[in-house]
Amino acid sequence: MIYCVEDETNIRELLVYTLQTTGFEARGFSCGRELWTALESEKPELILLDIMMPGEDGYSILKKLRADQNTKEIPVIMVTAKDAEYDKVQGLENGADDYITKPFGMMEFVARIKAVLRRSARVTSDKTLTCGCIQIAPAKHEVLVDGGRVELTRKEFEMLRYLVENKGLVMTRDQILLHVWGYDYYGETRTVDVHIRTLRQKLGKAGNLIETIRGVGYRIEDAL
């Protein structure tokens, strides 16, 4: 089930119709209040979330979703007419999995949804990964720094895991985009920089293990 939160009736109905005709189950909601009511009885596979809505806006809804243990792992794609870099960065920093700017083609729309669902459904290994004071338990979706748990978004977790799996090697921004967001992701490499910044902040002193390779990408080492 995919939830579509969009206050404009015509757009909401078009998105829901497109999803239903391409094999998905979908429900539309005109505001955050309707979404919260639905979430009490059902957990969707993905939420499409408009930003500019009367009452509670998309940013506020996204923050609440990520702060709640019951909804923090649900993939969220921001669907909005706002295309300024600041708006994209704000959505991604608050935990959005992708960002689609109106107007967009329906084929691209469906492809982006499939890409996000593929990434969220990726089977994880039970093998614990380590890098310096960082421990990653993929099956538990758990990250520890010096024994203390660190809460990461899905994309931050996947990015950290990818870097640690390739410890000592330089991963380009394009490689990270491809691995974490999938082939169908049409975003810019700026997205990687945004997520690296927030990842470093959450890791605290361990964030210094992630090295920026100017003009290329990023590398993680056991020690700098």
Side-chain angles (χ1 to χ4, degrees), residues 15 65 134 151 193 204:
L15 297 182
L65 288 170
I134 301 172
E151 295 291 339
D193 298 332

Side-chain angles (χ1 to χ4, degrees), residues 123-137:
V123 177
T124 59
S125 167
D126 290 330
K127 183 180 178 181
T128 298
L129 304 171
T130 62
C131 182
C133 58
I134 301 172
Q135 287 187 311
I136 303 173

